[in-house]
Amino acid sequence: MSISTAPWVWISALLSIAILSFLYRDNPLYKFAEHLFIGVANGYAVTFYWHNILVPALFDPLFRQGKLLYIIPFIIGLLYFTRFIPKISWLVRIPIGITIGYYVGASIPASIQAYIIKQIQGTILTPYNFQTWNAGTMGVIWSVILFIGVLCTLSYFYFSKAHKGILGTTSRVGIIFVMIGFGAAFGYTVMARISLLIGRLQFLLGDWLGIIH
Amino acid sequence: MKRKFPLFLVFIFGILGIIPFLIPHPVVQNTDDFLRNNLLRILAAFALVLGLGSLLKVHMDKIKRKRQNWQYSWILIISFIISSIIGLFGGVAGTGPLPTSIGSFPFDIQTLYENIIVPLGSTMFALLAFFMASASYRAFRARSFEATLLLAASFIVMLGIIPFGDRISHHLPSLAQWIMNVPNVAGQRGILFGVALGTIATALKIILGIERAWLGGGE
């Protein structure tokens, strides 16, 4: 056992313990660590945006290289500050409108491409899809199950007609696939969190206390 | 003017967002490049002002009115100011005009990130493992066929991922993988179609000015 003498390791370890103390109950140590986290994280965000975006992408081209075109984003960006001046606060809608407009516009073809066309390509029964499983003849069966599963799941979310008759059967099969999907996603998320916990315990018991190597 | 002009901008920039996917001409692509890499990036950086302004306003208000746990707001504000000064004047890795180390003890923004933000963030997410376990204990009682399926799928996936699962049965990891690849994908894909259609519908409503919640209240 060799306890670390590095000050930052001690700070990290004590802060980690402060967060873990929430397992007992909400307490001053946790609240301290929580507020410190928000404060430092926002300070880091300011630094990140300043050094990585505003200086290289705006101030350098505008003030050092004299590219006057950059005055446009500069002025539009400054309009965000009008939020704090009640009389002209409506001007904040201009940069917000530009940002929202562009991103929702770009999301239309992106969604069609990534979530509709590609997903349909991956679902339909083709020899290519049969082989992607690398499971020989079983690949065909997995593809058929996937195909039926997607159709049945979609039928479950079809609310314009009562779930009776054939639609009742398919939506019942659909909910089975949805439940397995939710279960799998839950299990996977829990394991990701456990993995993070193992990482923190390794830090506390290894890097800090030197009990494990 | 106060509402119509922003709505007009949303429409124009909405179209500007769609066009580059349809027209591969260099003029269109270069304009899109400028919009993405310069205008929108810069606007995103300025948008931080709104978030920070709101955060600081809430905490200053909390201190002023001495609301419950107001003392901790000082910690947030002070740590924010100090880390901002260190980051802005000390440079990303201690390369700025402000000295960011005392002897062999560094306190530049990268060191703060590695030793405060990363451990605190990952411990907070790790903490969720306990709460998820406690929540699942209460929620995952196999009360119906669907709940049993959910329980079984998550149990197999969890066991299949860890090395212990392989010791129980050699087939368990491949069964977990099969659940992730086949029924899970089928269920998620059905939901994804709905999400995509919802995204497109909402995007069209915003571009056409039918959905105006983003304008906020007021005139």
Side-chain angles (χ1 to χ4, degrees), chain B residues 24-84:
Chain B
H25 193 276
V27 174
V28 176
Q29 294 301 322
N30 290 343
T31 311
D32 182 57
D33 209 38
F34 176 77
L35 284 176
R36 264 177 204 271
N37 296 329
N38 295 289
L39 180 71
L40 292 163
R41 268 179 79 203
I42 292 163
L43 290 187
F46 275 104
L48 190 69
V49 171
L50 283 190
L52 288 176
S54 175
L55 179 80
L56 292 177
K57 200 176 157 217
V58 166
H59 283 275
M60 292 302 273
D61 191 55
K62 207 171 160 185
I63 293 169
K64 211 163 84 181
R65 292 174 199 276
K66 294 214 177 340
R67 291 214 177 103
Q68 199 184 5
N69 297 320
W70 62 274
Q71 300 90 337
Y72 298 101
S73 292
W74 277 120
I75 291 164
L76 188 149
I77 292 168
I78 292 167
S79 61
F80 167 68
I81 292 169
I82 291 174
S83 55
S84 297

Side-chain angles (χ1 to χ4, degrees), chain A residues 8 12 51 93 102 119 172, chain B residues 32 87 106 115 146 189 219:
Chain A
W8 276 117
S12 302
H51 289 295
R93 290 171 184 162
Y102 183 85
Q119 300 297 332
R172 176 98 183 117
Chain B
D32 182 57
N115 295 290
E146 286 85 2
R189 202 169 265 176
E219 205 184 324

Side-chain angles (χ1 to χ4, degrees), chain B:
Chain B
M1 177 68 177
K2 289 179 182 177
R3 294 177 79 88
K4 277 186 182 163
F5 183 58
L7 284 172
F8 172 73
L9 279 176
V10 163
F11 179 76
I12 295 296
F13 278 88
I15 301 295
L16 284 175
I18 298 170
I19 286 173
F21 283 89
L22 309 171
I23 305 170
H25 193 276
V27 174
V28 176
Q29 294 301 322
N30 290 343
T31 311
D32 182 57
D33 209 38
F34 176 77
L35 284 176
R36 264 177 204 271
N37 296 329
N38 295 289
L39 180 71
L40 292 163
R41 268 179 79 203
I42 292 163
L43 290 187
F46 275 104
L48 190 69
V49 171
L50 283 190
L52 288 176
S54 175
L55 179 80
L56 292 177
K57 200 176 157 217
V58 166
H59 283 275
M60 292 302 273
D61 191 55
K62 207 171 160 185
I63 293 169
K64 211 163 84 181
R65 292 174 199 276
K66 294 214 177 340
R67 291 214 177 103
Q68 199 184 5
N69 297 320
W70 62 274
Q71 300 90 337
Y72 298 101
S73 292
W74 277 120
I75 291 164
L76 188 149
I77 292 168
I78 292 167
S79 61
F80 167 68
I81 292 169
I82 291 174
S83 55
S84 297
I85 290 170
I86 289 172
L88 291 176
F89 302 106
V92 175
T95 49
L98 185 83
T100 50
S101 64
I102 300 169
S104 60
F105 180 72
F107 55 87
D108 57 85
I109 196 73
Q110 196 55 34
T111 307
L112 294 188
Y113 176 78
E114 284 163 15
N115 295 290
I116 294 181
I117 299 174
V118 171
L120 283 180
S122 56
T123 314
M124 270 195 196
F125 278 106
L127 203 63
L128 287 180
F130 292 101
F131 294 105
M132 284 178 93
S134 123
S136 59
Y137 174 74
R138 274 171 280 172
F140 268 22
R141 270 169 287 180
R143 278 175 292 197
S144 63
F145 174 64
E146 286 85 2
T148 313
L149 271 179
L150 196 107
L151 180 74
S154 62
F155 201 65
I156 293 169
V157 167
M158 283 193 267
L159 275 180
I161 289 172
I162 55 172
F164 182 65
D166 190 47
R167 289 191 190 176
I168 297 171
S169 162
H170 292 303
H171 301 293
L172 208 53
S174 46
L175 178 63
Q177 198 57 49
W178 181 82
I179 288 174
M180 289 302 290
N181 289 344
V182 184
N184 171 49
V185 169
Q188 306 277 1
R189 202 169 265 176
I191 295 167
L192 265 181
F193 280 128
V195 171
L197 293 173
T199 307
I200 294 164
T202 310
L204 281 173
K205 276 167 76 180
I206 292 172
I207 290 173
L208 297 173
I210 300 164
E211 168 68 54
R212 300 174 178 199
W214 64 272
L215 283 169
E219 205 184 324

